Amino acid sequence: MRLKYPIIITACLGLFLLLPSLPEQMSLTSVFRVTEEPAVIVRGTSGSALTVNISFGDVEVEQWIQELSKPYPLLFLDMDWVERFPATVKLITEKNIPVGLLGVQGDAYEQNTSLFPSQLERFETVFGMKPLWFRTIDEVFPSSLHTMLWKAEVNALGSSIVWRGGASPPVSEGEIISIPHHRDDRIVFSQLQKLYKDRTFTTVEEMLFNTTVKVKKIPE
């Protein structure tokens, strides 16, 4: 009997210490803010992260998705594209590839205040959750848009460099590389091998969590 009480006390103490950390860990899987005030994240401090903006493409995108291996890039998806190609979107979700919401040109959100809420609702309908990341197609974030992002607890993610093919850019620690894949502005996916030859990619989350991020303040 005497041995039983110390064991019970030890077990209860361990559970008591563990419980406070559980809600925090669970919340990170659903929603988080990387910055303490409205700002656009443009780079981390170490490593390299690859992001791809997709608003166009059928067979070539599906084939590229099939061939992708971890660590996966962060895919920013245009909702019109998402709704046109549900089979490719299903493949993305089955492979658990991280996705963000790709918006239109930044100034459109000043002209139409209902645009972002509508895009957000469409994203949640398809993916069953809010996006952790949002990017306008031109990486312009007006202050009114950023206010909406902040209230929705969605992070604004820009990039350090937009790469459209050609020579591979020099490696820069903390870089966030953006690759466009649109009707009139896209690369051949095989060209991405140039980037993989001289850098090791990590996920955006791994690069930014527990590090100092560099941001671009939103003008008033």
Side-chain angles (χ1 to χ4, degrees), residues 70 72-73 89-99 129:
K70 295 181 178 180
Y72 296 130
V89 172
K90 182 180 179 182
L91 179 61
I92 290 171
T93 55
E94 287 176 346
K95 296 188 70 167
N96 202 26
I97 299 173
V99 296
M129 60 181 178

Side-chain angles (χ1 to χ4, degrees), residues 4-199:
K4 185 183 297 184
Y5 290 111
I7 294 173
I8 294 173
I9 292 171
T10 301
C12 290
L13 180 60
L15 183 60
F16 176 77
L17 293 173
L18 177 62
L19 284 175
S21 66
L22 290 179
E24 180 180 358
Q25 292 172 355
M26 292 170 65
S27 68
L28 289 179
T29 65
S30 57
V31 64
F32 61 82
R33 282 189 180 133
V34 176
T35 60
E36 296 180 355
E37 59 184 16
V40 180
I41 301 165
V42 293
R43 65 184 306 122
T45 55
S46 62
S48 300
L50 181 64
T51 66
V52 182
N53 303 336
I54 301 176
S55 68
F56 177 81
D58 184 4
V59 176
E60 72 275 24
V61 175
E62 183 176 10
Q63 182 177 352
W64 177 66
I65 296 296
Q66 289 174 338
E67 296 171 352
L68 271 181
S69 58
K70 295 181 178 180
Y72 296 130
L74 172 61
L75 306 183
F76 281 97
L77 304 180
D78 170 80
M79 287 311 302
D80 288 341
W81 180 87
V82 166
E83 292 164 356
R84 283 198 305 271
F85 301 105
T88 304
V89 172
K90 182 180 179 182
L91 179 61
I92 290 171
T93 55
E94 287 176 346
K95 296 188 70 167
N96 202 26
I97 299 173
V99 296
L101 174 57
L102 180 65
V104 295
Q105 287 79 7
D107 61 2
Y109 296 92
E110 291 188 307
Q111 300 168 13
N112 183 357
T113 57
S114 65
L115 179 57
F116 173 70
S118 172
Q119 292 173 329
L120 188 61
E121 182 179 356
R122 291 165 68 190
F123 186 98
E124 291 186 74
T125 298
V126 174
F127 295 101
M129 60 181 178
K130 258 194 264 187
L132 300 178
W133 307 104
F134 175 84
R135 172 184 287 165
T136 57
I137 199 168
D138 55 2
E139 298 193 18
V140 173
F141 295 84
S143 59
S144 57
L145 170 60
H146 215 288
T147 298
M148 288 187 282
L149 289 169
W150 186 253
K151 288 181 179 178
E153 296 185 305
V154 177
N155 295 292
L157 190 71
S159 65
S160 316
I161 181 173
V162 178
W163 189 69
R164 293 180 167 86
S168 178
V171 178
S172 176
E173 287 296 316
E175 64 187 357
I176 300 173
I177 300 177
S178 173
I179 306 296
H181 199 267
H182 313 302
R183 180 181 295 274
D184 300 318
D185 182 16
R186 64 185 187 273
I187 68 168
V188 177
F189 284 117
S190 61
Q191 293 184 29
L192 291 177
Q193 294 305 318
K194 296 179 182 179
L195 297 178
Y196 282 96
K197 285 181 180 179
D198 55 14
R199 51 183 38 86

